Short mmCIF file of all heavy atoms in Angstrom, two decimals:
data_model
loop_
_atom_site.label_atom_id
_atom_site.label_comp_id
_atom_site.label_asym_id
_atom_site.label_seq_id
_atom_site.Cartn_x
_atom_site.Cartn_y
_atom_site.Cartn_z
N ASP A 26 36.10 -58.54 6.10
CA ASP A 26 35.94 -58.98 4.65
C ASP A 26 34.52 -58.73 4.18
O ASP A 26 34.08 -59.26 3.15
CB ASP A 26 36.25 -60.53 4.47
CG ASP A 26 35.36 -61.43 5.42
OD1 ASP A 26 34.85 -60.84 6.39
OD2 ASP A 26 35.19 -62.51 5.07
N MET A 27 33.88 -57.90 4.95
CA MET A 27 32.49 -57.60 4.53
C MET A 27 32.18 -56.04 4.55
O MET A 27 32.70 -55.32 5.29
CB MET A 27 31.44 -58.23 5.56
CG MET A 27 31.55 -59.70 5.54
SD MET A 27 30.29 -60.59 6.45
CE MET A 27 30.90 -62.23 6.52
N ARG A 28 31.30 -55.69 3.57
CA ARG A 28 30.94 -54.28 3.46
C ARG A 28 29.44 -54.13 3.05
O ARG A 28 28.97 -54.81 2.18
CB ARG A 28 31.86 -53.56 2.37
CG ARG A 28 31.48 -52.04 2.36
CD ARG A 28 32.65 -51.32 1.60
NE ARG A 28 32.88 -51.71 0.27
CZ ARG A 28 32.36 -51.11 -0.83
NH1 ARG A 28 31.62 -50.06 -0.67
NH2 ARG A 28 32.62 -51.60 -2.06
N ILE A 29 28.66 -53.41 3.80
CA ILE A 29 27.24 -53.09 3.56
C ILE A 29 27.21 -52.13 2.59
O ILE A 29 27.61 -50.92 2.72
CB ILE A 29 26.49 -52.64 4.81
CG1 ILE A 29 26.79 -53.66 5.97
CG2 ILE A 29 25.03 -52.63 4.51
CD1 ILE A 29 26.35 -55.04 5.73
N VAL A 30 26.73 -52.48 1.38
CA VAL A 30 26.63 -51.49 0.33
C VAL A 30 25.28 -50.84 0.04
O VAL A 30 25.13 -49.91 -0.64
CB VAL A 30 27.13 -52.16 -1.06
CG1 VAL A 30 28.52 -52.60 -1.06
CG2 VAL A 30 26.32 -53.34 -1.44
N ALA A 31 24.31 -51.51 0.73
CA ALA A 31 22.92 -50.92 0.57
C ALA A 31 21.99 -51.40 1.67
O ALA A 31 22.17 -52.67 2.06
CB ALA A 31 22.33 -51.08 -0.75
N GLN A 32 21.09 -50.64 2.24
CA GLN A 32 20.12 -51.13 3.14
C GLN A 32 18.73 -50.75 2.54
O GLN A 32 18.54 -49.52 2.23
CB GLN A 32 20.22 -50.59 4.54
CG GLN A 32 21.46 -51.05 5.23
CD GLN A 32 21.45 -50.70 6.75
OE1 GLN A 32 20.40 -50.87 7.37
NE2 GLN A 32 22.52 -50.18 7.27
N CYS A 33 17.88 -51.64 2.39
CA CYS A 33 16.63 -51.37 1.75
C CYS A 33 15.37 -51.82 2.59
O CYS A 33 15.46 -52.90 3.18
CB CYS A 33 16.48 -52.20 0.45
SG CYS A 33 17.95 -52.01 -0.75
N GLU A 34 14.39 -50.95 2.71
CA GLU A 34 13.31 -51.21 3.59
C GLU A 34 12.12 -51.71 2.75
O GLU A 34 10.99 -52.14 3.35
CB GLU A 34 12.83 -50.00 4.42
CG GLU A 34 12.31 -48.83 3.57
CD GLU A 34 13.41 -47.84 3.18
OE1 GLU A 34 14.57 -48.22 3.14
OE2 GLU A 34 12.97 -46.67 2.90
N ASP A 35 12.08 -51.73 1.44
CA ASP A 35 11.05 -52.35 0.67
C ASP A 35 11.55 -52.89 -0.68
O ASP A 35 12.81 -52.78 -0.94
CB ASP A 35 9.95 -51.22 0.28
CG ASP A 35 10.63 -50.00 -0.30
OD1 ASP A 35 11.50 -50.21 -1.19
OD2 ASP A 35 10.25 -48.83 0.04
N LEU A 36 10.71 -53.58 -1.32
CA LEU A 36 11.11 -54.38 -2.64
C LEU A 36 11.62 -53.36 -3.67
O LEU A 36 12.58 -53.69 -4.44
CB LEU A 36 9.99 -55.28 -2.99
CG LEU A 36 9.74 -56.52 -2.18
CD1 LEU A 36 8.59 -57.34 -2.68
CD2 LEU A 36 11.10 -57.38 -2.24
N PRO A 37 10.81 -52.24 -3.94
CA PRO A 37 11.41 -51.39 -4.99
C PRO A 37 12.74 -51.02 -4.85
O PRO A 37 13.53 -50.86 -5.87
CB PRO A 37 10.41 -50.18 -4.95
CG PRO A 37 9.11 -50.83 -4.50
CD PRO A 37 9.57 -51.77 -3.37
N LYS A 38 13.22 -50.66 -3.65
CA LYS A 38 14.58 -50.09 -3.33
C LYS A 38 15.56 -51.28 -3.55
O LYS A 38 16.66 -51.17 -4.04
CB LYS A 38 14.66 -49.55 -1.93
CG LYS A 38 13.91 -48.16 -1.97
CD LYS A 38 14.17 -47.50 -0.51
CE LYS A 38 13.44 -46.20 -0.44
NZ LYS A 38 13.64 -45.60 0.87
N LEU A 39 15.05 -52.52 -3.17
CA LEU A 39 15.90 -53.69 -3.33
C LEU A 39 16.10 -54.03 -4.75
O LEU A 39 17.25 -54.20 -5.26
CB LEU A 39 15.24 -54.97 -2.63
CG LEU A 39 15.92 -56.18 -3.04
CD1 LEU A 39 17.39 -56.24 -2.52
CD2 LEU A 39 15.10 -57.37 -2.37
N LEU A 40 15.12 -53.83 -5.60
CA LEU A 40 15.34 -54.20 -7.04
C LEU A 40 16.20 -53.17 -7.72
O LEU A 40 16.96 -53.45 -8.66
CB LEU A 40 13.92 -54.20 -7.72
CG LEU A 40 12.92 -55.23 -7.27
CD1 LEU A 40 11.57 -55.14 -7.97
CD2 LEU A 40 13.56 -56.61 -7.58
N SER A 41 16.13 -51.90 -7.23
CA SER A 41 17.03 -50.86 -7.77
C SER A 41 18.42 -51.14 -7.35
O SER A 41 19.41 -51.00 -8.15
CB SER A 41 16.50 -49.50 -7.29
OG SER A 41 17.49 -48.49 -7.61
N ALA A 42 18.68 -51.49 -6.12
CA ALA A 42 20.06 -51.80 -5.63
C ALA A 42 20.58 -53.03 -6.35
O ALA A 42 21.71 -53.15 -6.67
CB ALA A 42 20.03 -51.99 -4.02
N LEU A 43 19.72 -53.95 -6.57
CA LEU A 43 20.19 -55.21 -7.23
C LEU A 43 20.66 -54.94 -8.61
O LEU A 43 21.63 -55.60 -9.10
CB LEU A 43 18.83 -56.11 -7.41
CG LEU A 43 19.07 -57.56 -8.10
CD1 LEU A 43 19.97 -58.35 -7.22
CD2 LEU A 43 17.73 -58.20 -8.32
N GLU A 44 20.12 -54.01 -9.33
CA GLU A 44 20.65 -53.66 -10.75
C GLU A 44 21.95 -52.89 -10.77
O GLU A 44 22.84 -53.05 -11.53
CB GLU A 44 19.55 -52.92 -11.48
CG GLU A 44 18.28 -53.75 -11.80
CD GLU A 44 18.53 -55.02 -12.62
OE1 GLU A 44 19.47 -54.99 -13.35
OE2 GLU A 44 17.79 -55.89 -12.40
N SER A 45 22.02 -51.97 -9.67
CA SER A 45 23.21 -51.08 -9.68
C SER A 45 24.45 -51.62 -8.89
O SER A 45 25.55 -51.23 -9.06
CB SER A 45 22.80 -49.64 -9.07
OG SER A 45 22.29 -49.99 -7.69
N LEU A 46 24.10 -52.54 -8.04
CA LEU A 46 25.14 -53.08 -7.13
C LEU A 46 25.34 -54.69 -7.44
O LEU A 46 24.77 -55.43 -6.67
CB LEU A 46 24.88 -52.83 -5.74
CG LEU A 46 24.81 -51.52 -5.30
CD1 LEU A 46 24.19 -51.32 -3.96
CD2 LEU A 46 26.19 -50.73 -5.38
N ARG A 47 25.94 -54.94 -8.57
CA ARG A 47 26.08 -56.25 -9.06
C ARG A 47 27.13 -57.13 -8.26
O ARG A 47 28.08 -56.59 -7.74
CB ARG A 47 26.41 -56.32 -10.54
CG ARG A 47 25.39 -55.55 -11.28
CD ARG A 47 25.61 -55.72 -12.77
NE ARG A 47 24.37 -55.17 -13.54
CZ ARG A 47 24.05 -55.66 -14.68
NH1 ARG A 47 24.60 -56.58 -15.32
NH2 ARG A 47 22.90 -55.13 -15.26
N GLY A 48 26.81 -58.42 -8.15
CA GLY A 48 27.82 -59.36 -7.59
C GLY A 48 27.78 -59.20 -6.04
O GLY A 48 28.78 -59.48 -5.40
N ALA A 49 26.58 -58.95 -5.44
CA ALA A 49 26.41 -58.84 -4.00
C ALA A 49 25.80 -60.03 -3.51
O ALA A 49 25.10 -60.83 -4.11
CB ALA A 49 25.70 -57.53 -3.76
N ILE A 50 25.87 -60.14 -2.07
CA ILE A 50 25.16 -61.13 -1.32
C ILE A 50 23.95 -60.37 -0.83
O ILE A 50 24.06 -59.40 -0.17
CB ILE A 50 25.88 -61.66 -0.18
CG1 ILE A 50 27.26 -62.37 -0.70
CG2 ILE A 50 25.03 -62.69 0.57
CD1 ILE A 50 27.03 -63.41 -1.66
N ILE A 51 22.67 -60.86 -1.11
CA ILE A 51 21.51 -60.11 -0.72
C ILE A 51 20.81 -60.88 0.35
O ILE A 51 20.46 -62.07 0.16
CB ILE A 51 20.56 -59.98 -2.03
CG1 ILE A 51 21.25 -59.20 -3.12
CG2 ILE A 51 19.26 -59.27 -1.67
CD1 ILE A 51 20.57 -59.30 -4.45
N LEU A 52 20.73 -60.28 1.45
CA LEU A 52 19.96 -60.81 2.59
C LEU A 52 18.52 -60.02 2.49
O LEU A 52 18.43 -58.88 2.81
CB LEU A 52 20.55 -60.49 3.91
CG LEU A 52 22.04 -60.94 4.14
CD1 LEU A 52 22.62 -60.42 5.51
CD2 LEU A 52 22.04 -62.51 4.09
N VAL A 53 17.50 -60.86 2.16
CA VAL A 53 16.20 -60.36 2.01
C VAL A 53 15.22 -61.06 2.98
O VAL A 53 15.21 -62.27 3.07
CB VAL A 53 15.78 -60.43 0.63
CG1 VAL A 53 15.78 -61.95 0.12
CG2 VAL A 53 14.42 -59.85 0.53
N ALA A 54 14.44 -60.27 3.75
CA ALA A 54 13.50 -60.84 4.73
C ALA A 54 12.25 -61.25 4.00
O ALA A 54 11.77 -60.66 3.12
CB ALA A 54 13.11 -59.88 5.72
N SER A 55 11.69 -62.40 4.48
CA SER A 55 10.51 -63.00 3.99
C SER A 55 9.26 -62.12 4.25
O SER A 55 8.33 -62.12 3.52
CB SER A 55 10.25 -64.39 4.50
OG SER A 55 10.07 -64.31 5.89
N SER A 56 9.46 -61.20 5.26
CA SER A 56 8.40 -60.22 5.60
C SER A 56 8.16 -59.21 4.62
O SER A 56 7.16 -58.58 4.50
CB SER A 56 8.69 -59.56 6.91
OG SER A 56 10.01 -58.91 6.87
N LEU A 57 9.06 -59.01 3.60
CA LEU A 57 8.81 -58.19 2.43
C LEU A 57 8.04 -58.89 1.36
O LEU A 57 7.59 -58.30 0.28
CB LEU A 57 10.22 -57.76 1.88
CG LEU A 57 10.99 -56.77 2.60
CD1 LEU A 57 12.40 -56.52 1.87
CD2 LEU A 57 10.40 -55.53 2.94
N HIS A 58 7.69 -60.21 1.62
CA HIS A 58 6.96 -60.93 0.62
C HIS A 58 7.49 -60.88 -0.77
O HIS A 58 6.75 -60.62 -1.71
CB HIS A 58 5.45 -60.47 0.64
CG HIS A 58 4.91 -60.51 2.00
ND1 HIS A 58 4.64 -61.72 2.77
CD2 HIS A 58 4.50 -59.53 2.80
CE1 HIS A 58 4.11 -61.39 3.91
NE2 HIS A 58 4.06 -60.10 3.96
N PRO A 59 8.73 -61.18 -0.90
CA PRO A 59 9.26 -61.17 -2.31
C PRO A 59 8.88 -62.41 -3.20
O PRO A 59 8.47 -63.42 -2.65
CB PRO A 59 10.81 -61.33 -2.06
CG PRO A 59 10.89 -62.02 -0.82
CD PRO A 59 9.78 -61.61 0.03
N ASP A 60 8.76 -62.20 -4.53
CA ASP A 60 8.55 -63.39 -5.34
C ASP A 60 9.94 -64.02 -5.48
O ASP A 60 10.78 -63.54 -6.38
CB ASP A 60 8.05 -62.79 -6.78
CG ASP A 60 7.84 -63.92 -7.74
OD1 ASP A 60 8.51 -65.00 -7.54
OD2 ASP A 60 7.05 -63.78 -8.74
N VAL A 61 10.21 -65.05 -4.76
CA VAL A 61 11.54 -65.62 -4.51
C VAL A 61 12.12 -66.15 -5.89
O VAL A 61 13.13 -65.90 -6.29
CB VAL A 61 11.49 -66.74 -3.53
CG1 VAL A 61 12.87 -67.49 -3.55
CG2 VAL A 61 11.10 -66.15 -2.17
N GLN A 62 11.16 -66.82 -6.79
CA GLN A 62 11.64 -67.36 -8.02
C GLN A 62 12.18 -66.18 -8.87
O GLN A 62 13.19 -66.22 -9.46
CB GLN A 62 10.40 -68.00 -8.75
CG GLN A 62 10.01 -69.22 -8.00
CD GLN A 62 10.75 -70.38 -8.49
OE1 GLN A 62 11.75 -70.39 -9.20
NE2 GLN A 62 10.44 -71.63 -7.89
N ALA A 63 11.31 -65.12 -8.94
CA ALA A 63 11.69 -63.98 -9.84
C ALA A 63 12.96 -63.19 -9.36
O ALA A 63 13.79 -62.84 -10.14
CB ALA A 63 10.55 -62.99 -10.00
N LEU A 64 12.99 -62.94 -8.04
CA LEU A 64 14.00 -62.34 -7.48
C LEU A 64 15.36 -63.02 -7.57
O LEU A 64 16.36 -62.39 -7.98
CB LEU A 64 13.88 -62.04 -6.00
CG LEU A 64 14.89 -61.22 -5.19
CD1 LEU A 64 14.92 -59.90 -5.78
CD2 LEU A 64 14.53 -61.20 -3.67
N THR A 65 15.33 -64.31 -7.36
CA THR A 65 16.50 -65.09 -7.46
C THR A 65 17.00 -65.23 -9.02
O THR A 65 18.27 -65.06 -9.34
CB THR A 65 16.33 -66.60 -7.18
OG1 THR A 65 15.88 -66.50 -5.73
CG2 THR A 65 17.54 -67.39 -7.21
N GLY A 66 16.00 -65.19 -10.02
CA GLY A 66 16.45 -65.21 -11.41
C GLY A 66 17.06 -63.90 -11.74
O GLY A 66 18.11 -63.84 -12.44
N ARG A 67 16.53 -62.75 -11.25
CA ARG A 67 17.18 -61.49 -11.54
C ARG A 67 18.52 -61.38 -10.94
O ARG A 67 19.47 -60.80 -11.38
CB ARG A 67 16.38 -60.27 -11.06
CG ARG A 67 15.01 -60.20 -11.80
CD ARG A 67 14.17 -59.03 -11.29
NE ARG A 67 14.84 -57.75 -11.65
CZ ARG A 67 14.18 -56.57 -11.54
NH1 ARG A 67 12.90 -56.52 -11.20
NH2 ARG A 67 14.80 -55.47 -11.86
N ALA A 68 18.72 -61.94 -9.72
CA ALA A 68 20.01 -61.90 -8.98
C ALA A 68 21.01 -62.75 -9.80
O ALA A 68 22.23 -62.32 -9.82
CB ALA A 68 19.81 -62.55 -7.61
N ARG A 69 20.66 -63.83 -10.28
CA ARG A 69 21.58 -64.71 -11.06
C ARG A 69 22.18 -63.99 -12.24
O ARG A 69 23.35 -64.04 -12.64
CB ARG A 69 20.89 -66.01 -11.67
CG ARG A 69 20.34 -66.94 -10.53
CD ARG A 69 21.48 -67.80 -9.98
NE ARG A 69 21.02 -68.78 -9.00
CZ ARG A 69 20.83 -68.62 -7.68
NH1 ARG A 69 21.13 -67.47 -7.15
NH2 ARG A 69 20.35 -69.60 -7.01
#
Side-chain angles (χ1 to χ4, degrees):
D26 60 339
M27 298 186 191
R28 182 160 65 94
I29 308 299
V30 293
Q32 292 192 46
C33 312
E34 67 269 21
D35 55 40
L36 286 177
K38 290 184 179 179
L39 169 59
L40 295 176
S41 177
L43 180 65
E44 295 299 330
S45 60
L46 299 167
R47 302 188 169 210
I50 304 299
I51 301 167
L52 299 177
V53 57
S55 62
S56 57
L57 289 178
H58 305 293
D60 181 332
V61 176
Q62 292 274 3
L64 182 62
T65 304
R67 293 183 68 168
R69 295 281 188 272

